[in-house]
Amino acid sequence: MSRVGKVKIRTKFAVSLLVLTLVLGGVVYGQLELAKDRSVARTQENVDQTAALTAEQIDAQIRQEKNYVGFFASQPAASNFSNSEAFLERFLANPHVFAGQIIAANGTVVDFRGDVTSEVRQEAIGADRNNRSYVQRTARTGEIIVTAPERVGDSEQFIVVVSAPIFEDGEIAGVLVAGVPVNEFTFFTMVGPLETDRQAVAIRADGRTLHGSHQTFEEKITSTATVESTGWSVRITRDRSPLNARLQEMAVTQVASLALVLSLVVALSVLEYNSNVRQAQKLLDSFESLREGDYDASPQLSSGEEWRQIRAGFEELATGLDEREAALRERKQRLQVFNRVLRHNLRNDMTVVVNYAELVEEQTDDPAVRDAAAKILSRSEGLVGLGEKAQQIEQSLAGYDGPVTVDVCAEIRTVVSTLREEYPQAEITSEMPERELARAIPALDAAVEDLCENAVEHSDVTDPTVTITVDTVAEDADRWVRIAVADDGPGISEYERDVLLSGRETDLEHSSGFGLWLVSWIVERSGGRLSFAENEPRGTVVELYLEPASEETA
């Protein structure tokens, strides 16, 4: 295998590996991105669920406190304002409620109990609370109201007020008011377990933080949910660094797996490549041996069943070529013997026949004998010419491996000069440029000369005319150098044209057949083609088409 061939194979192999690496890398990258998106989506979904669940739990605890206040407000003892002290004592048994008030329907505080000072209690009892929105709304609509959180003094503690209507005989007689602290013991009982070193919870209402965390994360995933009954917002913030660590570990694992797979693929591919290259080299070496005539050569191919089948096919081909070569050698030997014997014996014997025919023709006075001698002489000279033509063909075609660059015009000028001396009765002219290069074997002049001789010798006119034209023609995308030989004789029969163009073997009636075969073979070995056309008003135009050549190849 040549170095260029090996380089091409290696390049294709390298490109194939590169494409494989890119494809696998793209698949792995796509899988990593998909896994990353899915992991982030799952984590985001989990944070969303946590925020929503926390908001629902806070909402449930708010409803629980509202139900507690509403339950006590609905008791008959609630409207017995004269015994409000005992009622409030029972009401304050709930540890979540730190203070309670009973307010009459007109807005006057009937009683105030709870974790308050006596001064605050005395100041509140009898005060008018009709200006409080929760009192107005509850007394007017009968709803249980939860107010917005309010800060207790300068502390970080917030409270909400829960108010419920007190009914007497179906009418609102007053309002039961409870003060409930906003902390992890009342509404935020589930917040504590949610706060870890990787997760923080923040609850805000009306722009104020009811509960917050001081934790900060470089990368985080957050979600916000709303407490339905109060509009408070619950924000869950989760540290993303553990997820990033898992994704990075996944990426490292995938890349390592890809590297391992590629290493195995490359290793196996290199082994297979080297094996196939060695097998191909053995096969090419064996073909080279066949080209050199060593038909006993057999490539030692044993790597795989397909290579063994190729070896069997190669050996079968070599055997067939050996048998064909032997048959061709035998045929060539017979032809050489026949050619040599026929040419030698034919020339010698027919020379004797010609001499005796001339002698008979000269010595006899009998017209019949003279006529017979003339016929013998004519046929004998024809056979001598046939032998000479066969010798000319052998000499013209021998020793030429392929076409070379030929100045067609220079060759034709030499031919025309020779033919004018040999056939002075004929008018032989040429129409061509000063120089025209084409690809042909050096025997091209013999083809042109034979066409002209054939036109003159087999013409049925006294002064035959032969015109040689050289020009260039274009057919489709191809360009050709055309040599046209036109005569005014009887023309070449359709039968002989078909035989030459199709390449079939046929019996030859006269020496012109040999000449036309010589022309056909010279054109074929030159890489050109041959065609025939009718000349006007009579005769034949034989056209030789050759590939053009450049000055650089001259």
Side-chain angles (χ1 to χ4, degrees):
M1 183 180 298
S2 67
R3 182 176 180 181
V4 174
K6 289 182 178 179
V7 170
K8 289 183 178 179
I9 293 177
R10 287 172 183 158
T11 302
K12 291 181 180 178
F13 178 71
V15 170
S16 300
L17 287 182
L18 178 60
V19 171
L20 177 62
T21 302
L22 292 176
V23 171
L24 290 179
V27 171
V28 171
Y29 177 77
Q31 290 178 339
L32 284 175
E33 288 298 310
L34 180 61
K36 175 183 175 181
D37 293 341
R38 288 179 176 175
S39 298
V40 172
R42 284 195 297 266
T43 304
Q44 183 66 58
E45 182 181 1
N46 183 266
V47 174
D48 292 342
Q49 291 176 350
T50 301
L53 182 59
T54 303
E56 290 176 3
Q57 290 171 341
I58 293 175
D59 196 51
Q61 290 177 313
I62 291 174
R63 289 196 303 270
Q64 181 179 343
E65 297 300 331
K66 290 172 65 176
N67 291 337
Y68 179 78
V69 176
F71 170 73
F72 268 87
S74 65
Q75 294 182 9
S79 60
N80 185 6
F81 294 162
S82 61
N83 194 26
S84 60
E85 180 180 353
F87 175 78
L88 287 178
E89 290 296 335
R90 292 195 308 273
F91 178 65
L92 294 173
N94 186 345
H96 295 170
V97 180
F98 78 91
Q101 296 182 35
I102 295 178
I103 303 175
N106 61 5
T108 303
V109 178
V110 175
D111 201 351
F112 186 17
R113 301 281 175 175
D115 187 13
V116 295
T117 63
S118 58
E119 290 81 3
V120 173
R121 179 177 177 273
Q122 290 300 326
E123 183 181 351
I125 294 175
D128 184 9
R129 297 289 189 251
N130 206 30
N131 61 342
R132 304 296 172 91
S133 61
Y134 58 87
V135 174
Q136 294 177 5
R137 288 179 59 190
T138 301
R140 184 176 69 252
T141 64
E143 295 181 63
I144 300 176
I145 304 300
V146 178
T147 65
E150 296 181 4
R151 190 183 297 274
V152 179
D154 296 331
S155 68
E156 297 295 327
Q157 179 65 50
F158 288 88
I159 65 169
V160 294
V161 173
V162 182
S163 61
I166 299 174
F167 289 92
E168 183 177 21
D169 297 330
E171 298 291 334
I172 297 177
V175 178
L176 176 62
V177 179
V180 182
V182 180
N183 55 36
E184 65 273 13
F185 302 107
T186 56
F187 305 119
F188 303 154
T189 57
M190 293 301 295
V191 172
L194 292 176
E195 289 191 320
T196 65
D197 58 346
R198 297 296 185 186
Q199 183 171 273
V201 183
I203 302 172
R204 294 176 61 82
D206 298 331
R208 292 173 292 183
T209 301
L210 306 181
H211 178 86
S213 174
H214 298 292
Q215 291 191 92
T216 58
F217 308 115
E218 291 185 4
E219 293 186 75
K220 55 192 175 183
I221 297 177
T222 61
S223 181
T224 303
T226 302
V227 178
E228 184 177 359
S229 60
T230 61
W232 301 350
S233 65
V234 178
R235 183 180 179 86
I236 303 295
T237 303
R238 185 172 297 178
D239 186 8
R240 184 170 165 169
S241 57
L243 174 61
N244 291 341
R246 290 198 303 272
L247 293 176
Q248 185 176 5
E249 183 180 355
M250 183 189 305
V252 171
T253 302
Q254 290 281 10
V255 171
S257 301
L258 175 62
L260 178 60
V261 170
L262 285 176
S263 298
L264 292 175
V265 169
V266 169
L268 293 175
S269 300
V270 169
L271 290 176
E272 185 67 18
Y273 165 78
N274 290 332
S275 175
N276 287 335
V277 167
R278 287 195 297 270
Q279 302 295 347
Q281 185 63 57
K282 292 179 181 178
L283 185 61
L284 291 176
D285 291 343
S286 298
F287 274 116
E288 182 65 22
S289 298
L290 279 185
R291 191 181 70 83
E292 295 174 355
D294 183 7
Y295 298 107
D296 294 328
S298 176
Q300 301 303 312
L301 308 176
S302 59
S303 177
E305 179 62 26
E306 65 279 4
W307 286 108
R308 285 193 286 272
Q309 293 178 357
I310 292 174
R311 176 184 178 183
F314 181 90
E315 291 175 347
E316 183 177 352
L317 173 64
T319 300
L321 290 175
D322 189 16
E323 293 174 353
R324 180 177 177 82
E325 182 70 17
L328 289 175
R329 283 197 302 269
E330 182 180 354
R331 183 179 180 183
K332 183 178 180 180
Q333 289 174 353
R334 290 199 306 268
L335 289 175
Q336 288 176 342
V337 171
F338 291 157
N339 188 30
R340 184 174 60 254
V341 171
L342 286 175
R343 286 206 323 268
H344 183 270
N345 293 351
L346 181 66
R347 183 174 61 252
N348 292 342
D349 293 345
M350 293 310 300
T351 300
V352 174
V353 172
V354 168
N355 292 334
Y356 277 107
E358 291 177 346
L359 180 62
V360 170
E361 186 179 18
E362 293 175 358
Q363 298 295 327
T364 184
D365 294 328
D366 189 339
V369 175
R370 184 183 297 275
D371 183 62
K375 290 181 179 179
I376 293 174
L377 180 61
S378 175
R379 291 301 180 96
S380 299
E381 289 176 344
L383 288 176
V384 172
L386 189 62
E388 292 176 349
K389 182 63 69 176
Q391 184 177 9
Q392 180 187 4
I393 291 176
E394 182 179 9
Q395 292 174 348
S396 298
L397 298 179
Y400 299 134
D401 295 330
V404 296
T405 299
V406 176
D407 183 358
V408 174
C409 298
E411 296 286 332
I412 291 177
R413 276 192 287 270
T414 301
V415 170
V416 170
S417 176
T418 302
L419 291 175
R420 284 174 177 171
E421 293 180 2
E422 186 175 353
Y423 302 101
Q425 79 281 9
E427 183 181 352
I428 302 175
T429 61
S430 62
E431 299 176 4
M432 57 186 178
E434 183 66 25
R435 180 178 174 84
E436 190 67 62
L437 300 181
R439 300 286 293 171
I441 64 174
L444 176 64
D445 59 336
V448 177
E449 183 177 355
D450 195 87
L451 286 175
C452 296
E453 287 179 348
N454 187 68
V456 173
E457 291 177 357
H458 298 281
S459 179
D460 56 355
V461 298
T462 304
D463 299 320
T465 299
V466 179
T467 302
I468 305 173
T469 304
V470 177
D471 56 12
T472 58
V473 295
E475 295 182 359
D476 297 330
D478 298 326
R479 179 173 168 269
W480 298 90
V481 173
R482 185 186 67 158
I483 304 173
V485 178
D487 63 56
D488 58 353
I492 302 174
S493 69
E494 289 290 338
Y495 176 76
E496 286 190 281
R497 297 185 191 181
D498 293 340
V499 168
L500 290 172
L501 295 177
S502 63
R504 297 194 310 268
E505 295 182 2
T506 180
D507 295 333
L508 298 175
E509 297 182 356
H510 46 66
S511 60
S512 65
F514 254 168
L516 289 176
W517 275 115
L518 172 63
V519 173
S520 176
W521 290 332
I522 290 176
V523 172
E524 181 180 348
R525 288 200 180 186
S526 298
R529 61 185 177 86
L530 185 67
S531 69
F532 297 90
E534 297 295 333
N535 195 18
E536 293 296 337
R538 73 190 300 265
T540 302
V541 179
V542 183
E543 297 174 316
L544 285 63
Y545 290 88
L546 304 173
E547 293 184 4
S550 61
E551 292 288 346
E552 289 76 7
T553 59

